[in-house]
Coordinates of all heavy atoms in Angstrom, one line a residue:
M24 N 0.8 -1.2 0.0 CA 0.0 0.0 0.0 C 0.9 1.3 0.0 O 1.9 1.3 0.7 CB -0.9 0.0 1.2 CG -1.8 1.2 1.3 SD -3.5 0.9 2.0 CE -4.1 -0.4 1.0
R25 N 0.5 2.2 -0.8 CA 1.3 3.5 -0.8 C 1.2 4.2 0.5 O 0.2 4.2 1.2 CB 0.8 4.4 -2.0 CG 1.0 3.8 -3.3 CD 0.6 4.7 -4.4 NE -0.8 5.1 -4.2 CZ -1.4 6.1 -4.9 NH1 -0.8 6.8 -5.7 NH2 -2.7 6.4 -4.6
E26 N 2.3 4.9 0.7 CA 2.4 5.7 2.0 C 1.2 6.7 2.1 O 0.7 6.9 3.2 CB 3.7 6.3 2.1 CG 4.1 6.6 3.5 CD 5.6 6.7 3.6 OE1 6.3 5.9 3.1 OE2 6.1 7.7 4.2
I27 N 0.9 7.4 1.0 CA -0.1 8.4 1.1 C -1.5 7.8 1.4 O -2.3 8.4 2.2 CB -0.1 9.3 -0.2 CG1 -1.0 10.6 0.1 CG2 -0.6 8.5 -1.4 CD1 -0.7 11.7 -0.9
D28 N -1.7 6.6 0.8 CA -3.0 6.0 1.1 C -3.1 5.6 2.6 O -4.1 5.7 3.2 CB -3.2 4.7 0.3 CG -3.6 5.1 -1.2 OD1 -4.1 6.2 -1.4 OD2 -3.3 4.3 -2.1
L29 N -2.0 5.1 3.1 CA -1.9 4.7 4.5 C -2.2 6.0 5.4 O -2.9 5.9 6.4 CB -0.6 4.1 4.9 CG -0.5 2.6 4.7 CD1 1.0 2.2 5.0 CD2 -1.4 1.9 5.6
A30 N -1.7 7.1 5.0 CA -1.9 8.3 5.8 C -3.4 8.7 5.8 O -4.0 9.0 6.8 CB -1.1 9.5 5.2
F31 N -4.0 8.6 4.6 CA -5.5 8.8 4.5 C -6.3 7.8 5.3 O -7.3 8.2 6.0 CB -5.9 8.8 3.1 CG -5.6 10.1 2.3 CD1 -4.9 10.0 1.1 CD2 -6.0 11.3 2.7 CE1 -4.6 11.1 0.4 CE2 -5.7 12.5 2.0 CZ -4.9 12.4 0.8
I32 N -5.8 6.6 5.3 CA -6.5 5.5 6.0 C -6.5 5.8 7.5 O -7.4 5.7 8.3 CB -5.9 4.2 5.7 CG1 -6.5 3.7 4.3 CG2 -6.3 3.1 6.8 CD1 -5.7 2.6 3.7
R33 N -5.3 6.2 8.0 CA -5.1 6.6 9.4 C -6.1 7.7 9.8 O -6.6 7.7 10.9 CB -3.7 6.9 9.8 CG -2.8 5.7 9.9 CD -1.5 6.1 10.6 NE -0.7 7.1 9.9 CZ 0.2 6.8 9.0 NH1 0.5 5.5 8.8 NH2 0.9 7.7 8.4
L34 N -6.2 8.7 8.9 CA -7.1 9.8 9.2 C -8.6 9.3 9.3 O -9.3 9.8 10.2 CB -7.0 10.9 8.1 CG -5.7 11.7 8.1 CD1 -5.7 12.7 7.0 CD2 -5.7 12.5 9.4
H35 N -9.0 8.5 8.3 CA -10.3 7.9 8.4 C -10.5 7.2 9.7 O -11.6 7.4 10.4 CB -10.6 6.9 7.3 CG -11.1 7.5 6.0 ND1 -12.4 7.9 5.9 CD2 -10.5 7.8 4.9 CE1 -12.5 8.5 4.7 NE2 -11.4 8.4 4.0
I36 N -9.6 6.4 10.1 CA -9.7 5.6 11.4 C -9.8 6.6 12.6 O -10.7 6.4 13.4 CB -8.5 4.7 11.6 CG1 -8.5 3.6 10.5 CG2 -8.5 4.0 13.0 CD1 -7.3 2.7 10.5
L37 N -9.0 7.6 12.6 CA -9.0 8.5 13.7 C -10.3 9.2 13.8 O -11.0 9.4 14.8 CB -7.9 9.5 13.5 CG -7.2 10.1 14.8 CD1 -6.8 9.1 15.8 CD2 -6.1 11.0 14.4
Y38 N -10.8 9.7 12.6 CA -12.1 10.4 12.5 C -13.2 9.5 13.0 O -14.0 9.9 13.8 CB -12.3 10.9 11.1 CG -13.8 11.3 10.9 CD1 -14.2 12.5 11.5 CD2 -14.7 10.6 10.2 CE1 -15.5 13.0 11.4 CE2 -16.0 11.0 10.1 CZ -16.4 12.2 10.7 OH -17.7 12.6 10.6
H39 N -13.3 8.3 12.5 CA -14.4 7.4 12.8 C -14.4 7.0 14.3 O -15.4 6.9 14.9 CB -14.5 6.2 11.9 CG -15.0 6.5 10.5 ND1 -16.3 6.9 10.3 CD2 -14.3 6.7 9.4 CE1 -16.3 7.2 9.0 NE2 -15.2 7.1 8.4
A40 N -13.2 6.8 14.8 CA -13.0 6.5 16.2 C -13.4 7.6 17.1 O -13.7 7.5 18.3 CB -11.6 6.0 16.5
S41 N -13.5 8.8 16.5 CA -13.9 10.0 17.3 C -15.4 10.1 17.4 O -16.0 10.8 18.2 CB -13.3 11.3 16.8 OG -14.0 11.7 15.6
K42 N -16.1 9.4 16.5 CA -17.5 9.4 16.4 C -18.2 8.3 17.1 O -19.3 8.4 17.7 CB -18.0 9.4 14.9 CG -17.6 10.6 14.1 CD -18.4 11.8 14.5 CE -17.9 13.1 14.0 NZ -18.5 14.3 14.6
E43 N -17.5 7.1 17.1 CA -18.1 5.9 17.7 C -17.0 4.9 17.9 O -15.9 5.1 17.4 CB -19.2 5.3 16.8 CG -18.6 4.9 15.4 CD -19.6 4.9 14.3 OE1 -20.8 5.0 14.6 OE2 -19.2 4.8 13.2
E44 N -17.3 3.8 18.6 CA -16.3 2.7 18.7 C -16.2 2.1 17.3 O -17.2 1.9 16.6 CB -16.9 1.6 19.6 CG -16.8 2.0 21.1 CD -17.2 0.8 21.9 OE1 -18.1 0.0 21.5 OE2 -16.6 0.6 23.0
V45 N -15.0 1.7 17.0 CA -14.8 1.0 15.7 C -14.1 -0.3 15.9 O -13.5 -0.6 17.0 CB -13.9 1.9 14.8 CG1 -14.6 3.2 14.4 CG2 -12.5 2.2 15.4
Y46 N -14.2 -1.2 15.0 CA -13.6 -2.5 15.1 C -13.1 -2.9 13.7 O -13.6 -2.3 12.7 CB -14.5 -3.6 15.7 CG -15.8 -3.8 15.0 CD1 -15.9 -4.9 14.1 CD2 -16.9 -3.0 15.2 CE1 -17.0 -5.1 13.4 CE2 -18.0 -3.2 14.5 CZ -18.1 -4.3 13.6 OH -19.3 -4.5 12.9
G47 N -12.3 -3.9 13.6 CA -11.6 -4.3 12.4 C -12.5 -4.5 11.2 O -12.3 -3.8 10.1
V48 N -13.4 -5.4 11.3 CA -14.3 -5.7 10.1 C -15.0 -4.4 9.6 O -15.2 -4.1 8.4 CB -15.3 -6.8 10.4 CG1 -16.1 -7.1 9.2 CG2 -14.5 -8.1 10.8
G49 N -15.6 -3.7 10.6 CA -16.3 -2.4 10.3 C -15.4 -1.4 9.6 O -15.9 -0.8 8.6
L50 N -14.2 -1.3 10.0 CA -13.3 -0.4 9.4 C -12.9 -0.8 7.9 O -12.9 0.0 7.0 CB -12.0 -0.2 10.2 CG -12.1 0.6 11.4 CD1 -10.8 0.5 12.3 CD2 -12.4 2.1 11.1
V51 N -12.7 -2.1 7.7 CA -12.4 -2.6 6.4 C -13.6 -2.3 5.5 O -13.4 -1.8 4.3 CB -12.2 -4.1 6.4 CG1 -12.2 -4.7 5.0 CG2 -10.8 -4.4 7.1
K52 N -14.8 -2.4 5.9 CA -16.0 -2.1 5.1 C -16.1 -0.6 4.8 O -16.4 -0.2 3.7 CB -17.3 -2.6 5.8 CG -17.5 -4.1 5.7 CD -18.9 -4.4 6.3 CE -19.0 -5.9 6.5 NZ -20.0 -6.2 7.5
E53 N -15.9 0.2 5.9 CA -16.0 1.6 5.7 C -14.9 2.1 4.7 O -15.2 2.9 3.8 CB -15.8 2.3 7.1 CG -15.4 3.7 7.1 CD -16.4 4.7 6.4 OE1 -17.6 4.3 6.3 OE2 -16.0 5.8 6.0
L54 N -13.7 1.6 4.8 CA -12.7 2.0 4.0 C -12.9 1.5 2.5 O -12.5 2.2 1.6 CB -11.3 1.6 4.5 CG -11.0 2.5 5.8 CD1 -9.9 1.8 6.7 CD2 -10.5 3.9 5.3
A55 N -13.5 0.4 2.4 CA -13.8 -0.1 1.1 C -14.8 0.8 0.3 O -14.7 1.0 -0.9 CB -14.4 -1.5 1.2
R56 N -15.7 1.4 1.1 CA -16.6 2.4 0.6 C -15.9 3.6 0.0 O -16.4 4.2 -0.9 CB -17.5 2.9 1.8 CG -18.9 3.4 1.5 CD -19.6 3.6 2.8 NE -19.0 4.6 3.7 CZ -19.2 5.9 3.5 NH1 -20.0 6.4 2.6 NH2 -18.7 6.7 4.4
H57 N -14.7 3.9 0.5 CA -13.9 5.0 0.0 C -12.9 4.5 -1.1 O -12.1 5.3 -1.5 CB -13.1 5.6 1.1 CG -14.0 6.3 2.1 ND1 -14.7 7.5 1.8 CD2 -14.3 6.1 3.4 CE1 -15.4 7.9 2.9 NE2 -15.2 7.1 3.9
G58 N -13.0 3.2 -1.4 CA -12.1 2.7 -2.5 C -10.8 2.1 -2.0 O -9.9 1.8 -2.8
Y59 N -10.6 2.0 -0.7 CA -9.4 1.4 -0.2 C -9.6 -0.1 0.1 O -10.5 -0.5 0.9 CB -8.9 2.0 1.2 CG -8.7 3.5 1.1 CD1 -9.5 4.4 1.6 CD2 -7.5 4.0 0.4 CE1 -9.3 5.8 1.5 CE2 -7.3 5.3 0.3 CZ -8.1 6.2 0.9 OH -7.9 7.6 0.8
K60 N -8.8 -0.9 -0.6 CA -8.8 -2.3 -0.3 C -7.8 -2.7 0.8 O -6.6 -2.8 0.5 CB -8.5 -3.1 -1.6 CG -9.6 -3.1 -2.6 CD -9.4 -4.2 -3.7 CE -10.4 -3.9 -4.8 NZ -9.7 -3.2 -6.0
L61 N -8.3 -2.7 2.0 CA -7.4 -2.9 3.1 C -7.5 -4.3 3.6 O -8.6 -4.8 3.9 CB -7.9 -1.9 4.2 CG -7.0 -1.7 5.4 CD1 -5.7 -1.1 4.9 CD2 -7.7 -0.6 6.3
S62 N -6.3 -4.9 3.8 CA -6.3 -6.3 4.4 C -6.1 -6.2 5.9 O -5.6 -5.1 6.4 CB -5.1 -7.1 3.8 OG -3.9 -6.5 4.2
F63 N -6.5 -7.2 6.6 CA -6.3 -7.2 8.0 C -4.8 -7.2 8.4 O -4.4 -6.6 9.4 CB -7.0 -8.4 8.7 CG -8.5 -8.3 8.6 CD1 -9.2 -9.2 7.8 CD2 -9.1 -7.4 9.3 CE1 -10.5 -9.1 7.7 CE2 -10.5 -7.3 9.3 CZ -11.2 -8.1 8.4
G64 N -4.0 -7.7 7.5 CA -2.5 -7.7 7.6 C -2.0 -6.3 7.6 O -0.9 -6.1 8.1
T65 N -2.7 -5.4 7.0 CA -2.3 -4.0 7.0 C -3.0 -3.2 8.2 O -2.4 -2.4 8.8 CB -2.6 -3.3 5.7 OG1 -2.0 -4.0 4.6 CG2 -2.1 -1.8 5.7
L66 N -4.3 -3.5 8.3 CA -5.1 -2.8 9.3 C -4.6 -3.0 10.7 O -4.5 -2.0 11.5 CB -6.6 -3.2 9.2 CG -7.5 -2.5 10.2 CD1 -7.6 -1.0 10.0 CD2 -8.9 -3.1 10.1
Y67 N -4.5 -4.3 11.1 CA -4.2 -4.5 12.5 C -2.9 -3.9 13.0 O -2.8 -3.3 14.1 CB -4.3 -6.0 12.9 CG -5.8 -6.4 13.0 CD1 -6.3 -7.3 12.1 CD2 -6.6 -5.7 13.8 CE1 -7.7 -7.6 12.2 CE2 -8.0 -6.0 13.9 CZ -8.5 -7.0 13.1 OH -9.9 -7.3 13.1
P68 N -1.8 -4.0 12.2 CA -0.6 -3.3 12.6 C -0.7 -1.8 12.7 O -0.2 -1.1 13.5 CB 0.5 -3.7 11.5 CG -0.1 -4.9 10.9 CD -1.6 -4.9 11.0
T69 N -1.6 -1.2 11.8 CA -1.9 0.2 11.8 C -2.6 0.6 13.1 O -2.2 1.6 13.7 CB -2.7 0.6 10.6 OG1 -2.0 0.2 9.4 CG2 -3.0 2.1 10.5
L70 N -3.6 -0.2 13.4 CA -4.3 0.1 14.7 C -3.4 -0.1 15.9 O -3.4 0.8 16.8 CB -5.5 -0.9 14.8 CG -6.7 -0.7 13.9 CD1 -7.7 -1.8 14.0 CD2 -7.4 0.6 14.2
A71 N -2.5 -1.1 15.9 CA -1.6 -1.4 17.0 C -0.7 -0.2 17.2 O -0.4 0.3 18.3 CB -0.8 -2.7 16.8
K72 N -0.2 0.4 16.0 CA 0.7 1.5 16.1 C 0.0 2.7 16.7 O 0.6 3.5 17.4 CB 1.2 1.8 14.7 CG 2.5 2.6 14.6 CD 3.0 2.6 13.2 CE 4.1 3.6 13.0 NZ 4.4 3.8 11.6
M73 N -1.3 2.9 16.3 CA -2.0 4.1 16.8 C -2.2 3.9 18.3 O -2.2 4.9 19.0 CB -3.3 4.2 16.0 CG -3.1 4.6 14.6 SD -4.6 4.5 13.6 CE -5.4 6.1 14.0
V74 N -2.4 2.7 18.8 CA -2.6 2.4 20.2 C -1.2 2.7 20.9 O -1.2 3.4 21.9 CB -3.0 1.0 20.5 CG1 -2.9 0.6 21.9 CG2 -4.5 0.8 20.0
R75 N -0.2 2.2 20.3 CA 1.2 2.5 20.9 C 1.5 4.0 21.0 O 2.1 4.4 22.0 CB 2.3 1.8 20.1 CG 2.6 0.4 20.5 CD 4.0 0.0 20.0 NE 4.3 0.3 18.7 CZ 4.0 -0.4 17.6 NH1 3.3 -1.5 17.8 NH2 4.3 0.0 16.4
K76 N 1.0 4.7 20.0 CA 1.3 6.2 20.1 C 0.3 6.9 21.0 O 0.4 8.1 21.2 CB 1.1 6.8 18.7 CG 2.2 6.5 17.7 CD 2.0 7.1 16.4 CE 3.2 7.1 15.5 NZ 2.8 7.6 14.1
G77 N -0.6 6.2 21.6 CA -1.5 6.8 22.5 C -2.7 7.5 21.9 O -3.4 8.3 22.6
L78 N -2.9 7.3 20.6 CA -4.0 8.0 19.9 C -5.3 7.3 20.1 O -6.4 7.9 20.0 CB -3.7 8.1 18.4 CG -2.4 8.8 18.0 CD1 -2.1 8.7 16.5 CD2 -2.4 10.2 18.5
M79 N -5.3 6.0 20.3 CA -6.4 5.1 20.5 C -6.3 4.2 21.6 O -5.1 3.8 22.0 CB -6.7 4.3 19.2 CG -6.6 5.1 17.9 SD -8.2 5.0 17.1 CE -8.0 3.4 16.4
T80 N -7.4 3.7 22.2 CA -7.3 2.6 23.1 C -8.3 1.6 22.7 O -9.2 1.9 21.8 CB -7.8 3.1 24.6 OG1 -9.1 3.6 24.5 CG2 -6.9 4.0 25.2
Y81 N -8.3 0.4 23.2 CA -9.3 -0.6 22.8 C -9.7 -1.4 24.0 O -9.1 -1.4 25.1 CB -8.7 -1.5 21.7 CG -7.6 -2.5 22.2 CD1 -8.0 -3.7 22.8 CD2 -6.3 -2.1 22.0 CE1 -7.0 -4.5 23.3 CE2 -5.3 -3.0 22.5 CZ -5.6 -4.2 23.1 OH -4.7 -5.0 23.5
E82 N -10.8 -2.0 23.9 CA -11.4 -2.9 24.9 C -11.8 -4.2 24.1 O -12.4 -4.1 23.1 CB -12.6 -2.2 25.4 CG -13.1 -2.8 26.7 CD -14.4 -2.1 27.1 OE1 -14.5 -0.9 27.4 OE2 -15.5 -2.8 27.0
A83 N -11.3 -5.3 24.6 CA -11.7 -6.6 24.0 C -13.0 -7.1 24.6 O -13.1 -7.1 25.8 CB -10.6 -7.6 24.2
R84 N -13.9 -7.4 23.7 CA -15.2 -7.9 24.2 C -15.6 -9.2 23.4 O -15.2 -9.3 22.2 CB -16.3 -6.9 24.1 CG -16.1 -5.7 25.0 CD -17.4 -5.0 25.4 NE -18.0 -4.4 24.2 CZ -17.8 -3.1 23.9 NH1 -17.0 -2.4 24.6 NH2 -18.4 -2.6 22.9
T85 N -16.4 -10.0 24.0 CA -16.8 -11.2 23.2 C -18.2 -11.0 22.7 O -19.1 -10.7 23.4 CB -16.8 -12.5 24.2 OG1 -15.5 -12.5 24.8 CG2 -17.0 -13.7 23.4
V86 N -18.3 -11.1 21.4 CA -19.6 -11.0 20.7 C -19.8 -12.2 19.9 O -19.0 -12.6 19.1 CB -19.6 -9.7 19.8 CG1 -20.9 -9.6 19.1 CG2 -19.4 -8.5 20.6
N87 N -20.9 -12.9 20.1 CA -21.2 -14.2 19.4 C -20.0 -15.1 19.5 O -19.6 -15.7 18.5 CB -21.5 -13.9 17.9 CG -22.8 -13.1 17.7 OD1 -23.7 -13.2 18.5 ND2 -22.9 -12.3 16.7
R88 N -19.5 -15.2 20.7 CA -18.4 -16.1 21.0 C -17.1 -15.7 20.3 O -16.1 -16.5 20.3 CB -18.7 -17.6 20.6 CG -19.8 -18.1 21.5 CD -19.9 -19.6 21.4 NE -21.1 -20.2 21.8 CZ -21.5 -21.4 21.5 NH1 -20.7 -22.2 20.8 NH2 -22.6 -21.9 22.0
K89 N -17.1 -14.6 19.7 CA -15.8 -14.1 19.1 C -15.3 -12.9 19.8 O -16.0 -12.0 20.2 CB -16.1 -13.7 17.6 CG -16.0 -14.8 16.6 CD -16.2 -14.3 15.2 CE -16.7 -15.4 14.3 NZ -17.4 -14.8 13.1
Q90 N -14.0 -13.0 20.0 CA -13.3 -11.9 20.7 C -13.2 -10.8 19.7 O -12.7 -11.0 18.5 CB -11.9 -12.3 21.1 CG -11.8 -12.9 22.5 CD -11.5 -11.8 23.5 OE1 -12.4 -11.1 24.0 NE2 -10.3 -11.5 23.8
R91 N -13.6 -9.6 20.1 CA -13.4 -8.5 19.2 C -12.8 -7.3 19.9 O -13.2 -7.1 21.1 CB -14.8 -8.1 18.6 CG -14.8 -7.3 17.4 CD -16.2 -7.1 16.9 NE -16.5 -7.9 15.7 CZ -17.7 -7.9 15.1 NH1 -18.7 -7.2 15.6 NH2 -17.9 -8.6 14.0
K92 N -12.0 -6.6 19.3 CA -11.4 -5.4 19.9 C -12.1 -4.1 19.4 O -12.2 -3.9 18.2 CB -9.9 -5.2 19.6 CG -9.0 -6.2 20.3 CD -7.5 -6.0 19.9 CE -6.6 -7.0 20.6 NZ -5.3 -6.9 20.1
Y93 N -12.6 -3.4 20.4 CA -13.3 -2.1 20.0 C -12.4 -1.0 20.4 O -11.9 -0.9 21.5 CB -14.6 -2.0 20.8 CG -15.7 -3.0 20.4 CD1 -15.8 -4.3 20.9 CD2 -16.6 -2.7 19.4 CE1 -16.7 -5.2 20.5 CE2 -17.5 -3.6 18.9 CZ -17.6 -4.8 19.5 OH -18.5 -5.7 19.0
Y94 N -12.2 -0.1 19.4 CA -11.3 1.0 19.5 C -12.0 2.3 19.7 O -13.0 2.5 19.1 CB -10.4 1.1 18.3 CG -9.5 -0.1 18.1 CD1 -10.0 -1.3 17.5 CD2 -8.2 -0.1 18.5 CE1 -9.1 -2.4 17.3 CE2 -7.3 -1.2 18.3 CZ -7.8 -2.3 17.7 OH -7.0 -3.4 17.5
R95 N -11.4 3.1 20.5 CA -11.9 4.5 20.7 C -10.7 5.5 20.6 O -9.6 5.1 20.9 CB -12.4 4.7 22.1 CG -13.7 4.1 22.5 CD -14.1 4.4 23.9 NE -15.4 4.0 24.1 CZ -16.5 4.6 23.7 NH1 -16.4 5.7 23.0 NH2 -17.7 4.0 23.9
I96 N -11.1 6.7 20.3 CA -10.0 7.7 20.3 C -9.7 8.1 21.7 O -10.6 8.0 22.6 CB -10.5 8.9 19.4 CG1 -9.3 9.8 19.0 CG2 -11.5 9.8 20.2 CD1 -9.6 10.7 17.8
T97 N -8.5 8.5 22.0 CA -8.1 9.1 23.3 C -8.1 10.6 23.2 O -8.1 11.2 22.1 CB -6.6 8.6 23.6 OG1 -5.8 9.1 22.6 CG2 -6.5 7.1 23.7
P98 N -7.9 11.3 24.4 CA -7.8 12.7 24.3 C -6.6 13.2 23.5 O -6.7 14.1 22.7 CB -7.6 13.1 25.8 CG -8.3 12.0 26.6 CD -8.1 10.8 25.8
K99 N -5.5 12.4 23.5 CA -4.4 12.8 22.7 C -4.7 12.6 21.2 O -4.3 13.4 20.4 CB -3.2 11.8 23.0 CG -1.9 12.2 22.3 CD -0.8 11.3 22.8 CE 0.5 11.6 22.0 NZ 1.5 10.6 22.2
G100 N -5.5 11.5 20.9 CA -5.9 11.3 19.5 C -6.8 12.4 19.0 O -6.7 12.8 17.9
L101 N -7.7 12.9 19.9 CA -8.6 14.0 19.5 C -7.8 15.3 19.2 O -8.1 16.0 18.3 CB -9.6 14.3 20.7 CG -10.9 13.7 20.6 CD1 -11.8 14.1 21.8 CD2 -11.7 14.1 19.3
K102 N -6.8 15.5 20.0 CA -6.0 16.7 19.8 C -5.3 16.6 18.4 O -5.3 17.5 17.7 CB -4.9 16.7 20.9 CG -4.7 18.1 21.6 CD -3.5 18.0 22.4 CE -3.7 18.7 23.7 NZ -2.5 18.6 24.6
E103 N -4.8 15.4 18.2 CA -4.1 15.1 16.9 C -5.1 15.3 15.7 O -4.8 15.9 14.7 CB -3.6 13.7 16.9 CG -2.9 13.2 15.7 CD -1.5 13.8 15.5 OE1 -1.0 14.3 16.5 OE2 -1.0 13.7 14.4
L104 N -6.3 14.8 15.9 CA -7.3 14.9 14.9 C -7.6 16.4 14.6 O -7.8 16.8 13.4 CB -8.6 14.2 15.3 CG -9.8 14.2 14.3 CD1 -9.4 13.5 13.0 CD2 -11.0 13.5 14.9
N105 N -7.8 17.2 15.6 CA -8.1 18.6 15.4 C -7.0 19.3 14.7 O -7.2 20.2 13.8 CB -8.4 19.3 16.7 CG -9.8 18.9 17.2 OD1 -10.7 18.7 16.4 ND2 -10.0 18.8 18.5
K106 N -5.7 19.0 15.0 CA -4.6 19.6 14.4 C -4.6 19.3 12.9 O -4.4 20.1 12.0 CB -3.3 19.0 14.9 CG -2.5 20.0 15.8 CD -1.1 19.5 16.0 CE -0.9 19.0 17.4 NZ 0.4 18.2 17.6
V107 N -4.9 18.0 12.6 CA -4.9 17.5 11.2 C -6.1 18.1 10.5 O -5.9 18.4 9.3 CB -5.0 16.0 11.2 CG1 -5.3 15.4 9.8 CG2 -3.6 15.4 11.7
K108 N -7.2 18.3 11.1 CA -8.4 18.9 10.5 C -8.0 20.3 9.9 O -8.4 20.7 8.8 CB -9.5 19.1 11.5 CG -10.4 17.9 11.6 CD -11.6 18.3 12.5 CE -12.4 17.0 12.7 NZ -13.5 17.3 13.7
N109 N -7.3 21.1 10.7 CA -6.8 22.4 10.3 C -5.9 22.3 9.0 O -6.1 23.1 8.1 CB -6.1 23.2 11.4 CG -7.1 23.6 12.4 OD1 -8.2 23.9 12.2 ND2 -6.6 23.7 13.7
K110 N -5.1 21.3 9.0 CA -4.2 21.1 7.9 C -5.0 20.7 6.6 O -4.7 21.0 5.5 CB -3.2 20.0 8.2 CG -2.1 20.5 9.2 CD -1.0 19.5 9.4 CE -0.1 20.0 10.5 NZ 1.0 19.0 10.8
I111 N -6.0 19.8 6.9 CA -6.9 19.4 5.8 C -7.6 20.6 5.2 O -7.7 20.7 4.0 CB -7.9 18.3 6.2 CG1 -7.2 17.0 6.6 CG2 -8.9 18.0 5.1 CD1 -8.1 16.0 7.2
R112 N -8.1 21.4 6.1 CA -8.8 22.6 5.6 C -7.9 23.5 4.7 O -8.3 23.9 3.7 CB -9.4 23.4 6.8 CG -10.3 24.6 6.4 CD -10.9 25.3 7.6 NE -11.7 24.4 8.4 CZ -11.4 24.0 9.7 NH1 -10.3 24.5 10.3 NH2 -12.2 23.2 10.3
E113 N -6.7 23.7 5.2 CA -5.7 24.5 4.5 C -5.4 23.9 3.2 O -5.4 24.6 2.1 CB -4.5 24.7 5.4 CG -3.5 25.7 4.9 CD -2.3 25.7 5.8 OE1 -2.4 25.8 7.0 OE2 -1.2 25.7 5.2
L114 N -5.2 22.6 3.2 CA -4.8 22.0 1.9 C -6.0 22.0 0.9 O -5.8 22.3 -0.3 CB -4.5 20.5 2.3 CG -3.8 19.7 1.1 CD1 -2.5 20.2 0.8 CD2 -3.7 18.2 1.6
Y115 N -7.2 21.8 1.4 CA -8.4 21.8 0.6 C -8.5 23.2 0.0 O -8.8 23.3 -1.2 CB -9.6 21.5 1.5 CG -10.9 21.7 0.7 CD1 -11.4 20.7 -0.2 CD2 -11.7 22.8 1.0 CE1 -12.6 20.9 -0.8 CE2 -12.9 23.0 0.3 CZ -13.3 22.1 -0.6 OH -14.5 22.3 -1.3
E116 N -8.3 24.2 0.8 CA -8.5 25.6 0.2 C -7.5 25.9 -0.8 O -7.8 26.6 -1.8 CB -8.5 26.6 1.4 CG -9.9 26.5 2.1 CD -10.0 27.5 3.2 OE1 -9.0 28.2 3.6 OE2 -11.1 27.5 3.8
E117 N -6.3 25.4 -0.6 CA -5.2 25.7 -1.6 C -5.4 24.8 -2.9 O -5.3 25.3 -4.0 CB -3.8 25.5 -1.0 CG -2.8 25.8 -2.1 CD -1.4 25.9 -1.4 OE1 -1.3 26.5 -0.4 OE2 -0.4 25.4 -2.1
V118 N -5.5 23.5 -2.7 CA -5.5 22.6 -3.8 C -6.8 22.5 -4.5 O -6.8 22.4 -5.8 CB -5.0 21.2 -3.3 CG1 -5.1 20.2 -4.4 CG2 -3.6 21.3 -2.7
I119 N -7.9 22.5 -3.8 CA -9.2 22.3 -4.5 C -9.9 23.7 -4.8 O -10.3 23.9 -5.9 CB -10.1 21.5 -3.6 CG1 -9.5 20.1 -3.2 CG2 -11.5 21.2 -4.3 CD1 -9.1 19.2 -4.3
V120 N -10.0 24.5 -3.8 CA -10.7 25.8 -4.0 C -9.8 26.8 -4.8 O -10.3 27.6 -5.5 CB -11.1 26.4 -2.7 CG1 -11.9 27.7 -2.9 CG2 -12.0 25.4 -1.9
E121 N -8.5 26.6 -4.6 CA -7.5 27.5 -5.3 C -7.6 28.9 -4.9 O -7.7 29.8 -5.8 CB -7.5 27.3 -6.8 CG -7.0 25.9 -7.2 CD -6.8 25.7 -8.7 OE1 -6.7 26.7 -9.4 OE2 -6.7 24.6 -9.1
R122 N -7.8 29.2 -3.6 CA -7.8 30.6 -3.2 C -6.5 31.1 -2.7 O -5.6 30.3 -2.4 CB -8.9 31.0 -2.2 CG -9.4 30.2 -1.2 CD -10.4 31.0 -0.3 NE -11.0 30.1 0.6 CZ -12.3 29.8 0.7 NH1 -13.1 30.3 -0.2 NH2 -12.7 28.9 1.5
Ligands
ZN221 ZN1 -14.5 7.3 6.4

């Protein structure tokens, strides 16, 4: 996967985790909607890295006898998301709106 796609994917994950709890299969579906074919082999290390950086936390729960990790954004992750939002706005205005 290209580095820029991974960056966009991380942003999607951070954003969605700020709105609700997210989990692996749900994220793969959501990202497929945006045209990203994400394998679990890419997704789980990405999530683990975000947890290590303190941007997300997770809670393991058993649903239908399956262990599932539910991820949420942390206060640090929210701060990061807000910073990035400003950058996205700036980039959008320059690259798309061309003002
Ligand atoms: Zn999304």
